[in-house]
Amino acid sequence: MSSSYTNYTNSPCAACKFLRRKCTPDCVFAPYFPPEEPTKFANVHRIFGASNVSKILQEVAPHQREDAVNSLAYEAEARLRDPVYGCVGAISVLQRQVLGLQRELEETNADIMRYASCLGGETTSFCGGQRG
Amino acid sequence: MSSSYTNYTNSPCAACKFLRRKCTPDCVFAPYFPPEEPTKFANVHRIFGASNVSKILQEVAPHQREDAVNSLAYEAEARLRDPVYGCVGAISVLQRQVLGLQRELEETNADIMRYASCLGGETTSFCGGQRG
């Protein structure tokens, strides 16, 4: 996705520019922090620190580094927007949404069972109400 | 929730112990990193760095600092378990779960509408199948 491998001879990557250092051909940040996206590096640096990001990148297989950087950038942005909960806030919202949907689905399935009983010949007040 | 305010004179907090420094009464970490939970600090230090954690704590109102520390600890633990996706992996799983439940609910609601039509007197093949 990133073309910065071909860029670094012309322009330092966003990380090296931010850290005011020479961007060498083996720069671990260059493929994932192109110069045209300076905020992406500034955010992860502010939340995780450049050296922790570099450590994480080195722990991860090369073909997974782009995903690792993108998830770090997502987390950093969420933490800057919400210093108390960061992206854990999104997890809480989604967990509540899942519980709500599960409850709604259970109720709807219970209704289906009742409709099926009516069509099978049952004559409870529910069936009468529906027929009326 | 934490009683470390009363503990620090006896034993340094987990952060000061880890960083081998004197734990003073105004230590920003002490209330949230009691000595009996050394891993909590080690994790956030490894992922965010002590100075970034301290900066985030200082940005946040005192009554929200416990929540901030707990969400940082959650994120750090997730990142140590899954260096590629961290807790963003949980967000993806939950988002897929929400989409699946929404689709299932839509289908179930469509079934309800069909059952209601049958009970209202319609005689489509769906109604016949249910009656048979």
Side-chain angles (χ1 to χ4, degrees), chain B residues 45-68:
Chain B
H45 178 59
R46 211 166 133 199
I47 298 299
F48 298 99
S51 93
N52 282 340
V53 173
S54 150
K55 262 187 243 162
I56 291 171
L57 283 181
Q58 263 139 6
E59 271 174 36
V60 158
H63 73 279
Q64 295 197 292
R65 287 184 189 158
E66 178 126 25
D67 282 352

Side-chain angles (χ1 to χ4, degrees), chain A residues 48 71 97 105:
Chain A
F48 298 99
S71 71
Q97 207 181 343
L105 192 61

Side-chain angles (χ1 to χ4, degrees), chain A residues 10-11 20 24 27 46 48 50 52 57 63 68 88 94 100 103 115 120 124:
Chain A
N10 306 320
S11 165
R20 292 165 192 270
T24 58
C27 172
R46 210 166 135 199
F48 298 99
N52 283 339
L57 284 181
H63 72 280
V88 181
L94 284 163
R103 202 166 24 235
Y115 273 114
T124 60

Side-chain angles (χ1 to χ4, degrees), chain A residues 49-67:
Chain A
S51 93
N52 283 339
V53 173
S54 151
K55 263 187 243 162
I56 292 170
L57 284 181
Q58 263 138 6
E59 270 175 37
V60 158
H63 72 280
Q64 295 196 293
R65 286 182 189 158
E66 178 126 25
D67 281 353

